[in-house]
Structure formats: structure tokens, C-alpha cells
Amino acid sequence: FWKEEYSVSAFKFYVCKFDLINTDSNRVYHVNSDKYFLVDAADSTTWAVKLLATPFKYNRISFLIGVDSARNVSGEQTGALDPANGMFRSRSEGYVMAKLEGSSPLSAAGNKIQYHIAGFLRDSSVLRKPTLLFPFGQYLTIDSLPGKKSIININADVNDWFFNPHQIKIATRPTCTTQGLLAKDISENYSKMFSV
């Protein structure tokens, strides 16, 4: 967006607490509320998130980006929350909710870019819950037929980490690895990186 050249070597983020929404009837269905998924751009096996949904007609989807506060203070865990995934800091700091690493000739940090976005307490929370509207006039209809699958394709554009509503320039802010205002600003930006 700022015409700043960069390359990506790592791009990961947590998603959980999915809701399928029908705005015509104002109905919200909570889906897989206890499962956490780590989406890793380098591992195509993590790109598909399987959900079990109540049969109905939906036109929006919502989900939490990150790991909620209860699971952040539960210590080391398994599955997507396993520390081996490189996203857990400590019991007091919890999880990195989203990670972007790479390089840029504009970076004053030895050509490195490193954004490890964390924070789950009220004042430092980077937890975001975007709601995505399906393309105009389109609905997802979940049938009760056994074995039937429906697919929602959601794209994530890494460029959105750097703008809207906050201007994050690699030349002046090549890293963010601590909780605080910059991490919150970046999380507001990347909460808008998704589209259906």
C-alpha cells in the first residue's frame, strides 16, 4: 500500500469462536466454540477449518482472531495451542495471536520485519472479532442431509496489516513484539484483512 517492498517468511494467526449469522432473522449460531485453529500460510493443511453448523440459511460469518483470555492463562496446551507451534510466550504473557515475519530493504532492524501481536487483558487486548458479509445477495444454505458439505472461501490479505485505520510503515516501525498501543493498532488493521 505504501509501496514499501517486503517479503514474507512467516504468516500465522489463530481463529476460533465462529458464528454463522442470518441478518434477515437476526439469528446467530455459535459454531465449534471450544476449538482453536492456527492458520499457517506455510502449511496448506491448516488452511481448511472444518465446522459443524446447524441447518439454516446464512449470509455472514464472524470469528475471533486470537486466543481468548481464559485459554491464555491456562498454561501450555495441546493441538493448535501447543507451544511447539511457536505461538506461546509464557503463562503471564499468553499467546501470540498473529505473527508476520519477513524482510525489507527499508527496515532499520537489519532488513528484518517482525510483528508478534499479543495481548489479552483489557487495556492491551488485541482480540478482534470481524464479521464478514457474503457477496451481495448470496447465502450459504446448510442442509441436514448426511455427508453434505458447504464451503466458504475466506481470503486473508497480508498487505492489510499496514493500513486502515492505522498507518504502519516498515521504514519507521519494522518490528512489534511487545504488548501495547502499536500491537493494538496493528490488530485493528489486520482484523480487516479478510474477505469472503
Side-chain angles (χ1 to χ4, degrees):
F1 185 78
W2 308 115
K3 302 194 184 303
E4 291 186 310
E5 180 185 336
Y6 70 97
S7 61
V8 175
S9 59
F11 180 39
K12 302 179 182 182
F13 53 87
Y14 280 106
V15 289
C16 64
K17 302 196 180 304
F18 287 83
D19 293 329
L20 286 170
I21 302 162
N22 180 297
T23 55
D24 299 330
S25 63
N26 290 320
R27 294 177 83 174
V28 177
Y29 293 89
H30 305 296
V31 184
N32 293 57
S33 60
D34 60 339
K35 291 192 177 177
Y36 295 78
F37 304 91
L38 178 59
V39 179
D40 183 349
D43 181 359
S44 61
T45 64
T46 67
W47 299 354
V49 173
K50 295 180 182 177
L51 307 172
L52 295 173
T54 303
F56 205 70
K57 187 176 178 181
Y58 305 100
N59 64 345
R60 294 186 186 201
I61 187 169
S62 179
F63 51 88
L64 184 69
I65 306 167
V67 178
D68 65 12
S69 58
R71 295 301 283 269
N72 262 285
V73 296
S74 298
E76 296 183 9
Q77 299 169 66
T78 59
L81 300 176
D82 190 316
N85 292 320
M87 300 290 279
F88 183 72
R89 288 186 169 167
S90 66
R91 183 179 285 269
S92 61
E93 290 188 81
Y95 285 86
V96 171
M97 310 301 177
K99 179 184 284 190
L100 174 60
E101 295 178 347
S103 61
S104 171
L106 299 170
S107 170
N111 289 338
K112 176 176 69 173
I113 60 171
Q114 187 177 57
Y115 304 102
H116 295 183
I117 309 306
F120 61 91
L121 298 174
R122 184 185 306 175
D123 292 340
S124 62
S125 179
V126 297
L127 295 171
R128 301 287 177 250
K129 190 157 190 180
T131 298
L132 308 178
L133 181 63
F134 295 173
F136 181 74
Q138 292 188 23
Y139 287 83
L140 171 69
T141 301
I142 304 290
D143 293 322
S144 57
L145 300 172
K148 179 149 186 191
K149 296 179 181 176
S150 299
I151 297 174
I152 303 170
N153 289 310
I154 299 176
N155 298 312
D157 186 345
V158 70
N159 291 313
D160 290 335
W161 281 53
F162 301 102
F163 72 99
N164 188 17
H166 306 284
Q167 298 181 9
I168 309 296
K169 294 189 177 180
I170 293 170
T172 55
R173 296 176 172 171
T175 64
C176 177
T177 57
T178 58
Q179 299 177 23
L181 183 58
L182 180 57
K184 290 172 70 172
D185 287 352
I186 292 171
S187 72
E188 285 182 41
N189 286 0
Y190 70 55
S191 72
K192 296 173 177 64
M193 72 178 168
F194 300 99
S195 61
V196 176

